[in-house]
Amino acid sequence: MLRSILFTAASSIAFAGIVTPHAGAQDANFNAGVGYSRIDIQDVDFDAISLRAGYDFNETFGLEGQVDFGLGDESVSLGLVTADVELNYSAGLYGIARFPLAENVNVFGRLGYVTTELEGSVAGFVADESDDGFSFGVGGEYNFDASNGVRVEYTRTDYDSGEAD
């Protein structure tokens, strides 16, 4: 029951401050960032911290990994019973394609695979549920300089037990 409640519909809108510290002067293709994500799962909103790291093969194509950790639990009413639900983590690996619009401004699309774990508790009973599926998203980035910028994106995941919008 927890699975059908939690994975029926989800959406994630992320706002991330991109920090791209260079691993060394010789290889500026690595990047990393930290940000905030607001994840809506069937009218239950989760706040999460997002950690992202990537490698750019060239100006257009790259690979990135992302891990989101929930920042607290939310109360969900199930008829007369209230459950506390928490996002333990969501982790994904994505291929990304960037398209420049102007100097320091890109739009991008990404496609990947995600696994997510939620924990719910009702009247002292605790259950963990995990699910995984394909994920895709679109967004935009603005780079202030070679090492700093901001990113806004929308990502959707199609979990095994239901679609995520």
Side-chain angles (χ1 to χ4, degrees), residues 20-90:
T20 56
H22 300 285
Q26 52 283 61
D27 193 354
N29 294 343
F30 287 99
N31 59 73
V34 63
Y36 166 80
S37 293
R38 181 75 166 181
I39 302 171
D40 178 16
I41 300 177
Q42 195 169 344
D43 296 327
V44 179
D45 294 326
F46 295 98
D47 296 312
I49 186 88
S50 300
L51 306 175
R52 181 178 298 117
Y55 181 82
D56 296 327
F57 301 113
N58 54 43
E59 289 183 4
T60 304
F61 297 106
L63 189 65
E64 64 183 24
Q66 179 175 325
V67 180
D68 300 311
F69 297 101
L71 295 176
D73 59 356
E74 298 295 326
S75 295
V76 178
S77 288
L78 308 170
L80 299 174
V81 178
T82 299
D84 290 323
V85 181
E86 181 178 355
L87 171 68
N88 287 339
Y89 69 86
S90 182

Side-chain angles (χ1 to χ4, degrees), residues 1 32 40 60 68 85 97 112 121 126 134 158:
M1 182 172 178
D40 178 16
T60 304
D68 300 311
V85 181
S121 63
V126 178
F134 288 98
D158 184 12

Side-chain angles (χ1 to χ4, degrees), residues 103-159:
E103 188 174 342
N104 297 333
V105 178
N106 299 312
V107 294
F108 63 87
R110 66 186 200 154
L111 178 66
Y113 197 78
V114 173
T115 185
T116 301
E117 181 180 282
L118 299 168
E119 181 178 295
S121 63
V122 177
F125 175 74
V126 178
D128 289 335
E129 288 288 334
S130 62
D131 207 348
D132 51 25
F134 288 98
S135 187
F136 61 92
V138 295
E141 323 175 286
Y142 175 75
N143 296 309
F144 303 119
D145 55 35
S147 298
N148 300 291
V150 294
R151 171 175 169 155
V152 177
E153 70 182 67
Y154 173 81
T155 300
R156 177 180 179 196
T157 302
D158 184 12
Y159 290 107

